[in-house]
Amino acid sequence: MQPYSPERRTALVFCGTGAHGVYHAGVLRALQEAGVKIDVMAGQGVGASAAALGAIDGAARLWDADGVWGGAQPSTFYRWRWPLRAAAWLAASACGLVLVSLLLSWAGIPAYSVVFLMLATAAVAGVLVMLGAGAAIEGRGGPARRRAAGGAWWRLLGAPIDAGTIRGCVGAAIWQLVRGAEPMDRPDARTLGRRYADVLAENLGQPGFSELMLVASDLDARRDLVAAMLREPFRREMMASRPDRDRRSDLLDLAGAGREHAFDVVAAGLVPPLGCDAQMTTFAPDGYWRGETHRLCDRPGAVSRLLEELAAAGVTQAVIVSAVAATPAPHRLTIPRLEVRHRLGEFLAAAESAALRDAMEMARLQFDSVYLIAPGHNPIGPFDFTGAYDEASDRRQDLREQMERAYEDAYRQFIEPVVGASGEHLARATPAAAADPYPGILEDGA
């Protein structure tokens, strides 16, 4: 491994799922404040949204008070679908009414107990109606549909977690940056993707703008799909045909025919492989897939493919950002949580940790220098959007604190020991920046 040098072609790689995006926001803020030179923004999973916003000089939309992770919006991410939530409330009401009727009957007031029993029956009927109506509405929703096997109930029960809120939030943040001065409602995914790609292509090479590479998993093609906006000659080299496969089948050129799918790939990174409906993407009729509609989602192991393509695109120096903590020492087991989303989150965190470990071993053979920014300890799981109890410190931690820790990790693990030691001039906060949401962090870590 060679020492860090700002002269090398450098990629900033974000990987993770769900609430890990708040860690990306803190690291990106620190790197931007320090003036670290980044040539290519790259992302897998929720990191695709950080990379997409960072590439068009919109990283502040991640941590602003009204941004993706700065306000109260994260508490609405990846909730149970609204029919399931409504049915749960009605079922709880029915149980309460049955209990009241039993108590009244035991107290010798049969008339009132019958009334409450009738209300409980109505609530149970409401549960069934709510689930049926929800299944019908969810089945008709979406910009692209494909015939699916199985009963209507599985439209809800097969994908009970709603990823639409976070996709809408990220889409709104991107649209605010690319729509221009004219106030317009956010368009569909294809129009938004085309507008985003056009803005990035027009400003590529300007201060604040960088090249972009994203990865998602195509469930129907059974391969990873890479979307990239690169400058020449790297774009031409990456798009060149290879003897082992047709590059058009798994590569989207955001500077060419694939620009309409820029937001599709970002949205696919926000969809976990289980529990959520995949991002439905319809390819062009004159493309390789001839107008087929495919299902796209995230895959934790896709970070290896992302690093492989970055090396092929001329990147010689990679900075990888992950919110998953290192492997714990013996006798540091945590209490498992039984809720479905937490079980899924634990699986995704373990899969990302294993995939990242393998990817780092291969990256050391592909790049001159590889650096990892990751927390030493992180109690926040992929779906802990309201915070989580930390057994190590015996207190509850929230997303805001996680963003602050990410900011500190970036300075402590990379900016000061690596970039500062290389002799590169670092931008420092001016006294006018009195509204700094992380007061004292820079000074304490200096």
Side-chain angles (χ1 to χ4, degrees), residues 44-45 70 119 216 376 382 401 403:
Q44 167 264 319
L119 293 175
E401 183 175 353
M403 190 183 297

Side-chain angles (χ1 to χ4, degrees), residues 248-422:
R248 298 177 303 165
S249 65
D250 58 1
L251 184 64
L252 291 175
D253 181 14
L254 300 183
R259 65 183 185 276
E260 292 185 344
H261 302 299
F263 183 70
D264 284 329
V265 181
V266 174
L270 301 173
V271 179
L274 295 172
C276 296
D277 280 331
Q279 175 72 14
M280 305 296 284
T281 302
T282 303
F283 294 100
D286 56 347
Y288 180 87
W289 296 110
R290 301 184 181 278
E292 293 181 358
T293 298
H294 286 199
R295 297 165 297 163
L296 306 183
C297 68
D298 177 36
R299 183 177 74 88
V303 64
S304 295
R305 174 65 188 282
L306 185 60
L307 293 174
E308 174 189 338
E309 294 292 349
L310 287 170
V315 171
T316 60
Q317 198 166 242
V319 182
I320 304 175
V321 181
S322 172
V324 176
T327 304
H331 304 296
R332 291 188 181 179
L333 299 178
T334 58
I335 299 176
R337 290 180 288 179
L338 301 180
E339 206 260 337
V340 174
R341 288 180 300 178
H342 295 307
R343 291 186 176 187
L344 175 59
E346 288 182 340
F347 165 76
L348 293 175
E352 179 186 341
S353 179
L356 186 58
R357 189 179 303 110
D358 296 339
M360 290 288 292
E361 293 297 326
M362 293 301 300
R364 291 187 174 93
L365 304 177
Q366 297 170 324
F367 301 96
D368 292 339
S369 304
V370 181
Y371 304 95
L372 175 65
I373 302 176
H377 172 68
N378 183 12
I380 305 294
F383 299 107
D384 291 327
F385 294 99
T386 58
Y389 171 74
D390 180 21
E391 298 175 8
S393 59
D394 192 23
R395 63 186 181 86
R396 189 171 185 82
Q397 295 189 21
D398 57 15
L399 296 189
R400 191 63 182 175
E401 183 175 353
Q402 180 69 7
M403 190 183 297
E404 295 175 0
R405 298 289 81 77
Y407 182 93
E408 294 175 342
D409 288 344
Y411 268 98
R412 184 175 60 254
Q413 299 177 15
F414 180 71
I415 295 174
E416 293 170 349
V418 177
V419 181
S422 70

Side-chain angles (χ1 to χ4, degrees), residues 28-361:
L28 189 53
R29 182 180 184 274
L31 297 180
Q32 186 180 83
E33 180 185 277
V36 177
K37 171 183 166 289
I38 301 297
D39 298 286
V40 185
M41 290 282 185
Q44 167 264 319
V46 71
S49 58
L53 287 168
I56 58 172
D57 197 21
R61 295 299 305 163
L62 292 170
W63 60 75
D64 281 345
D66 58 344
V68 177
W69 301 105
Q73 295 180 103
S75 61
T76 65
F77 295 166
Y78 297 104
R79 294 191 298 178
W80 298 106
R81 291 184 181 275
W82 66 266
L84 296 178
R85 298 200 308 271
W89 280 108
L90 288 174
S93 301
C95 292
L97 291 172
V98 169
L99 180 60
V100 171
S101 65
L102 292 176
L103 292 176
L104 291 176
S105 178
W106 176 77
I109 314 177
Y112 287 102
S113 63
V114 171
V115 172
F116 279 98
L117 191 59
M118 293 176 61
L119 293 175
T121 304
V124 172
V127 170
L128 299 178
V129 172
M130 183 63 65
L131 291 176
I137 294 174
E138 294 289 341
R140 296 181 59 85
R145 297 185 296 274
R146 289 171 48 186
R147 182 174 298 177
W153 298 108
W154 292 111
R155 297 187 184 278
L156 285 176
L157 302 181
I161 303 174
D162 183 16
T165 306
I166 187 172
R167 283 185 289 192
C169 184
V170 172
I174 292 176
W175 179 240
Q176 289 179 359
L177 295 169
V178 302
R179 69 183 180 183
E182 184 177 358
M184 297 174 57
D185 293 335
R186 181 165 63 92
D188 58 28
R190 295 176 68 90
T191 305
L192 177 58
R194 182 169 56 249
R195 177 59 181 164
Y196 173 88
D198 290 343
V199 169
L200 182 56
E202 293 170 0
N203 294 275
L204 202 60
Q206 298 297 321
F209 291 81
S210 62
E211 300 167 68
L212 178 68
M213 185 178 293
L214 310 173
V215 66
S217 182
D218 189 334
L219 296 178
D220 294 289
R222 299 182 181 180
R223 63 187 67 186
D224 293 323
L225 182 66
V226 178
M229 171 80 74
L230 303 174
R231 59 183 176 86
E232 298 293 354
F234 306 106
R235 173 176 176 263
R236 181 173 61 254
E237 295 173 356
M238 185 175 182
M239 295 301 300
S241 59
R242 298 181 183 179
D244 57 338
R245 65 178 181 267
D246 191 333
R247 295 290 281 167
R248 298 177 303 165
S249 65
D250 58 1
L251 184 64
L252 291 175
D253 181 14
L254 300 183
R259 65 183 185 276
E260 292 185 344
H261 302 299
F263 183 70
D264 284 329
V265 181
V266 174
L270 301 173
V271 179
L274 295 172
C276 296
D277 280 331
Q279 175 72 14
M280 305 296 284
T281 302
T282 303
F283 294 100
D286 56 347
Y288 180 87
W289 296 110
R290 301 184 181 278
E292 293 181 358
T293 298
H294 286 199
R295 297 165 297 163
L296 306 183
C297 68
D298 177 36
R299 183 177 74 88
V303 64
S304 295
R305 174 65 188 282
L306 185 60
L307 293 174
E308 174 189 338
E309 294 292 349
L310 287 170
V315 171
T316 60
Q317 198 166 242
V319 182
I320 304 175
V321 181
S322 172
V324 176
T327 304
H331 304 296
R332 291 188 181 179
L333 299 178
T334 58
I335 299 176
R337 290 180 288 179
L338 301 180
E339 206 260 337
V340 174
R341 288 180 300 178
H342 295 307
R343 291 186 176 187
L344 175 59
E346 288 182 340
F347 165 76
L348 293 175
E352 179 186 341
S353 179
L356 186 58
R357 189 179 303 110
D358 296 339
M360 290 288 292
E361 293 297 326

